Amino acid sequence: GNSVTQMEGPVTLSEEAFLTINCTYTATGYPSLFWYVQYPGEGLQLLLKATKADDKGSNKGFEATYRKETTSFHLEKGSVQVSDSAVYFCALTSSNFGNEKLTFGTGTRLTIIP
Amino acid sequence: NAGVTQTPKFRVLKTGQSMTLLCAQDMNHEYMYWYRQDPGMGLRLIHYSVGEGTTAKGEVPDGYNVSRLKKQNFLLGLESAAPSQTSVYFCASVRGGPGTQYFGPGTRLLVL
């Protein structure tokens, strides 16, 4: 079956530091990969996605590249801000449309200190 | 355009009581999902629906029932609540494309 393994948190960084949150996956077929973000007290929001190998998803300064050879989708940001403090979830689905069921990692809590 | 809304935001139940959580979306989405979020376990799919009048089991369906009588609403029922059902419940709907799910703000449920 499908599974997602995420870097365990919590992660604490200083403002303007470089961020990497590791994500690896196991899936049948050709999954699509996602990063969702959950700000305090809110639901999840899609941060970025990639639907095929070597694709790079990007949004709000965050990037992740779909690496089929290493089954990874690591999240990076060059200079984090206090407002990036949130929980980040890596996820995948092996359906391209219709009956998508997302498989989530356990989440990584990120705290940025000024 | 309110997106995905959930009612109630917070509820306390006693063991054995029943309740219904309501999810509503105004985006005309076909697919809707109920998840529970527990510490250290990410989100787990309870039930989902691929259209009005249809429902299917997810990863952790035991103790829950669902109904999708109207396209915009997806109800999650607990017939006899147990402390193990203490959790945060999220509803989501799909606009289109692989996995672009839109989430509601969540319902925090405490079962004593």
Side-chain angles (χ1 to χ4, degrees), chain A residues 32 34 36 38 41-44 46 49 51 89 93 95-96 98-102 104-107, chain B residues 31 33 35 37 40-43 45 48 50 57 90 94 96-105:
Chain A
S32 295
F34 310 86
Y36 278 82
Q38 184 180 29
E42 298 183 10
L44 279 71
L46 179 66
K49 68 180 183 183
T51 57
F89 292 91
T93 179
S95 297
N96 285 324
N99 188 16
E100 300 100 344
K101 285 188 284 184
L102 281 168
F104 287 90
T106 55
Chain B
Y31 306 98
Y33 305 81
Y35 295 92
Q37 183 180 29
M41 302 191 75
L43 274 77
L45 182 64
Y48 64 101
V50 299
K57 294 180 180 179
F90 287 100
V94 173
T100 311
Q101 295 191 10
Y102 286 74
F103 282 79

